Amino acid sequence: MILTLLSPSAGSIEIFGKDLHKNRRAVLSRVCGIVEKPDFYLYLSAYKNLEILGSMTRKIRSDEIMETLDGVGLKSRAFEKVKTFSHGMKQRLGIAQALLTKPELIILDEPTAGLDPQGMKEVRELIKKLSRESKMTIFLSSHLLSEVELVATRMAVIHRGELIAQGS
Protein backbone atom coordinates (compact mmCIF):
# COMPACT_ATOMS: atom_id res chain seq x y z
CA MET A 1 0.00 0.00 0.00
CA ILE A 2 2.88 2.39 0.75
CA LEU A 3 4.17 1.84 -2.80
CA THR A 4 0.59 2.24 -4.11
CA LEU A 5 0.60 -1.26 -5.59
CA LEU A 6 -2.56 -1.95 -3.56
CA SER A 7 -5.22 0.44 -2.35
CA PRO A 8 -6.20 0.50 1.32
CA SER A 9 -9.74 -0.66 2.03
CA ALA A 10 -10.01 1.96 4.77
CA GLY A 11 -7.95 4.71 6.36
CA SER A 12 -5.10 6.72 4.88
CA ILE A 13 -1.32 6.67 4.63
CA GLU A 14 0.84 9.62 5.57
CA ILE A 15 4.54 9.72 4.67
CA PHE A 16 6.91 12.67 5.20
CA GLY A 17 3.95 14.55 6.69
CA LYS A 18 1.92 14.26 3.47
CA ASP A 19 -1.15 12.24 2.57
CA LEU A 20 0.04 9.61 0.09
CA HIS A 21 -3.21 9.57 -1.90
CA LYS A 22 -3.23 13.36 -2.39
CA ASN A 23 0.54 13.75 -2.92
CA ARG A 24 1.45 10.47 -4.64
CA ARG A 25 4.11 11.78 -7.04
CA ALA A 26 5.85 14.01 -4.46
CA VAL A 27 5.93 11.26 -1.82
CA LEU A 28 6.93 8.38 -4.10
CA SER A 29 9.79 10.41 -5.58
CA ARG A 30 11.44 10.03 -2.15
CA VAL A 31 10.66 6.31 -1.75
CA CYS A 32 12.03 3.15 -3.34
CA GLY A 33 10.90 -0.40 -2.81
CA ILE A 34 11.90 -3.94 -3.60
CA VAL A 35 9.02 -6.40 -3.52
CA GLU A 36 10.34 -9.92 -2.85
CA LYS A 37 12.64 -10.51 -5.85
CA PRO A 38 14.22 -7.82 -8.01
CA ASP A 39 14.33 -8.53 -11.73
CA PHE A 40 17.17 -7.70 -14.11
CA TYR A 41 18.34 -8.20 -17.66
CA LEU A 42 20.24 -11.45 -17.06
CA TYR A 43 22.33 -11.18 -20.22
CA LEU A 44 23.71 -7.76 -19.16
CA SER A 45 26.28 -6.94 -16.50
CA ALA A 46 25.38 -5.59 -13.09
CA TYR A 47 26.88 -2.25 -14.15
CA LYS A 48 24.83 -2.06 -17.36
CA ASN A 49 21.62 -3.01 -15.51
CA LEU A 50 22.15 -0.18 -13.02
CA GLU A 51 23.05 2.22 -15.81
CA ILE A 52 19.82 1.45 -17.70
CA LEU A 53 17.50 1.23 -14.70
CA GLY A 54 19.03 4.26 -13.00
CA SER A 55 18.59 6.38 -16.14
CA MET A 56 14.83 5.97 -15.82
CA THR A 57 14.80 8.37 -12.88
CA ARG A 58 17.83 10.64 -13.46
CA LYS A 59 21.25 10.91 -15.10
CA ILE A 60 23.57 8.47 -13.30
CA ARG A 61 27.33 8.97 -13.34
CA SER A 62 29.68 6.00 -13.76
CA ASP A 63 31.35 6.66 -10.41
CA GLU A 64 27.94 6.61 -8.68
CA ILE A 65 27.23 3.17 -10.11
CA MET A 66 30.62 1.83 -9.02
CA GLU A 67 30.30 3.40 -5.56
CA THR A 68 26.85 1.86 -5.14
CA LEU A 69 28.06 -1.56 -6.28
CA ASP A 70 30.95 -1.26 -3.83
CA GLY A 71 28.50 -0.40 -1.05
CA VAL A 72 26.58 -3.63 -1.59
CA GLY A 73 29.70 -5.74 -2.02
CA LEU A 74 29.44 -6.27 -5.79
CA LYS A 75 32.12 -3.95 -7.18
CA SER A 76 34.39 -6.86 -8.12
CA ARG A 77 31.52 -8.40 -10.14
CA ALA A 78 30.36 -5.14 -11.77
CA PHE A 79 31.04 -6.26 -15.34
CA GLU A 80 29.89 -9.86 -15.05
CA LYS A 81 26.54 -10.93 -16.44
CA VAL A 82 23.75 -11.04 -13.87
CA LYS A 83 22.83 -14.56 -14.99
CA THR A 84 26.00 -15.75 -13.19
CA PHE A 85 24.85 -14.19 -9.88
CA SER A 86 23.43 -16.13 -6.94
CA HIS A 87 20.01 -15.21 -5.59
CA GLY A 88 21.66 -13.32 -2.72
CA MET A 89 23.80 -11.32 -5.13
CA LYS A 90 20.69 -10.40 -7.11
CA GLN A 91 19.03 -9.24 -3.88
CA ARG A 92 22.05 -7.01 -3.15
CA LEU A 93 21.96 -5.72 -6.74
CA GLY A 94 18.28 -4.87 -6.20
CA ILE A 95 19.22 -2.88 -3.11
CA ALA A 96 21.93 -1.13 -5.16
CA GLN A 97 19.29 -0.23 -7.75
CA ALA A 98 17.13 1.26 -5.01
CA LEU A 99 20.05 3.24 -3.58
CA LEU A 100 20.78 4.88 -6.94
CA THR A 101 17.56 6.88 -6.63
CA LYS A 102 18.85 8.43 -3.36
CA PRO A 103 15.64 7.58 -1.46
CA GLU A 104 14.76 8.74 2.02
CA LEU A 105 12.73 5.58 2.57
CA ILE A 106 13.50 2.10 1.23
CA ILE A 107 10.87 -0.59 1.54
CA LEU A 108 12.21 -4.15 1.50
CA ASP A 109 9.55 -6.84 1.28
CA GLU A 110 10.86 -10.25 2.37
CA PRO A 111 14.48 -9.46 1.32
CA THR A 112 15.84 -12.78 2.61
CA ALA A 113 13.10 -15.00 1.11
CA GLY A 114 14.53 -17.97 -0.75
CA LEU A 115 18.13 -17.29 0.29
CA ASP A 116 20.50 -19.85 1.74
CA PRO A 117 21.88 -19.11 5.25
CA GLN A 118 24.96 -17.31 3.86
CA GLY A 119 22.83 -15.17 1.54
CA MET A 120 20.48 -14.33 4.41
CA LYS A 121 23.45 -13.24 6.53
CA GLU A 122 24.87 -11.08 3.71
CA VAL A 123 21.56 -9.28 3.15
CA ARG A 124 21.07 -8.78 6.91
CA GLU A 125 24.56 -7.31 7.24
CA LEU A 126 23.93 -5.02 4.28
CA ILE A 127 20.67 -3.75 5.79
CA LYS A 128 22.42 -3.06 9.11
CA LYS A 129 25.28 -1.29 7.31
CA LEU A 130 22.86 0.92 5.34
CA SER A 131 20.96 1.73 8.51
CA ARG A 132 24.16 2.82 10.28
CA GLU A 133 25.75 4.74 7.42
CA SER A 134 22.87 6.37 5.56
CA LYS A 135 20.31 8.99 6.39
CA MET A 136 17.38 6.90 5.25
CA THR A 137 14.69 4.83 6.82
CA ILE A 138 14.60 1.16 5.92
CA PHE A 139 11.16 -0.42 6.21
CA LEU A 140 11.51 -4.18 6.32
CA SER A 141 8.49 -6.40 5.86
CA SER A 142 8.89 -10.04 6.83
CA HIS A 143 7.05 -13.00 8.27
CA LEU A 144 10.29 -14.22 9.86
CA LEU A 145 10.36 -12.45 13.21
CA SER A 146 13.76 -13.92 14.04
CA GLU A 147 15.17 -12.20 10.93
CA VAL A 148 13.52 -8.90 11.85
CA GLU A 149 14.94 -9.07 15.37
CA LEU A 150 18.45 -9.38 13.95
CA VAL A 151 18.28 -6.09 12.01
CA ALA A 152 15.48 -3.86 13.27
CA THR A 153 15.71 -1.03 15.78
CA ARG A 154 11.92 -0.62 15.90
CA MET A 155 9.23 -3.12 15.06
CA ALA A 156 5.49 -3.22 14.48
CA VAL A 157 3.38 -6.36 14.37
CA ILE A 158 0.37 -6.27 12.08
CA HIS A 159 -2.24 -9.04 12.13
CA ARG A 160 -5.05 -9.07 9.54
CA GLY A 161 -4.50 -5.38 8.80
CA GLU A 162 -4.55 -4.34 12.46
CA LEU A 163 -1.58 -2.97 14.39
CA ILE A 164 -1.09 -5.32 17.35
CA ALA A 165 2.16 -3.99 18.89
CA GLN A 166 5.01 -1.61 18.15
CA GLY A 167 8.15 -0.40 19.85
CA SER A 168 11.90 -0.73 20.08
Side-chain angles (χ1 to χ4, degrees), residues 80-147:
E80 293 180 30
K81 291 182 179 179
V82 173
K83 70 179 176 184
T84 67
F85 285 18
S86 69
H87 182 53
M89 291 168 72
K90 288 175 187 170
Q91 286 295 90
R92 289 187 282 141
L93 185 58
I95 293 170
Q97 178 188 345
L99 293 173
L100 276 180
T101 67
K102 306 284 188 210
E104 294 171 56
L105 169 64
I106 291 184
I107 299 170
L108 301 175
D109 180 39
E110 302 284 356
T112 60
L115 296 179
D116 63 18
Q118 181 60 34
M120 291 171 85
K121 183 178 185 244
E122 289 171 1
V123 170
R124 275 196 314 265
E125 292 303 318
L126 176 57
I127 292 168
K128 288 193 285 190
K129 176 185 167 199
L130 290 173
S131 177
R132 278 191 316 270
E133 296 176 1
S134 68
K135 292 183 177 162
M136 71 179 76
T137 299
I138 301 170
F139 186 103
L140 174 69
S141 171
S142 179
H143 293 88
L144 303 173
L145 293 181
S146 60
E147 283 293 305

Side-chain angles (χ1 to χ4, degrees), residues 20-157:
L20 178 59
H21 179 72
K22 294 176 185 166
N23 302 282
R24 183 178 184 271
R25 186 177 299 259
V27 170
L28 291 182
S29 70
R30 300 164 64 185
V31 176
C32 193
I34 301 172
V35 180
E36 290 210 30
K37 177 181 160 293
D39 228 355
F40 298 100
Y41 298 105
L42 300 178
Y43 60 93
L44 296 176
S45 69
Y47 180 94
K48 192 67 177 171
N49 268 281
L50 292 186
E51 184 179 54
I52 291 168
L53 297 168
S55 71
M56 292 180 185
T57 54
R58 64 182 181 86
K59 180 140 176 66
I60 306 291
R61 296 185 327 269
S62 176
D63 62 313
E64 285 181 279
I65 294 171
M66 292 307 289
E67 182 180 308
T68 303
L69 286 168
D70 189 33
V72 299
L74 292 174
K75 185 176 182 179
S76 66
R77 306 283 301 265
F79 298 102
E80 293 180 30
K81 291 182 179 179
V82 173
K83 70 179 176 184
T84 67
F85 285 18
S86 69
H87 182 53
M89 291 168 72
K90 288 175 187 170
Q91 286 295 90
R92 289 187 282 141
L93 185 58
I95 293 170
Q97 178 188 345
L99 293 173
L100 276 180
T101 67
K102 306 284 188 210
E104 294 171 56
L105 169 64
I106 291 184
I107 299 170
L108 301 175
D109 180 39
E110 302 284 356
T112 60
L115 296 179
D116 63 18
Q118 181 60 34
M120 291 171 85
K121 183 178 185 244
E122 289 171 1
V123 170
R124 275 196 314 265
E125 292 303 318
L126 176 57
I127 292 168
K128 288 193 285 190
K129 176 185 167 199
L130 290 173
S131 177
R132 278 191 316 270
E133 296 176 1
S134 68
K135 292 183 177 162
M136 71 179 76
T137 299
I138 301 170
F139 186 103
L140 174 69
S141 171
S142 179
H143 293 88
L144 303 173
L145 293 181
S146 60
E147 283 293 305
V148 174
E149 287 178 315
L150 293 171
V151 296
T153 55
R154 296 192 47 80
M155 184 166 45
V157 178

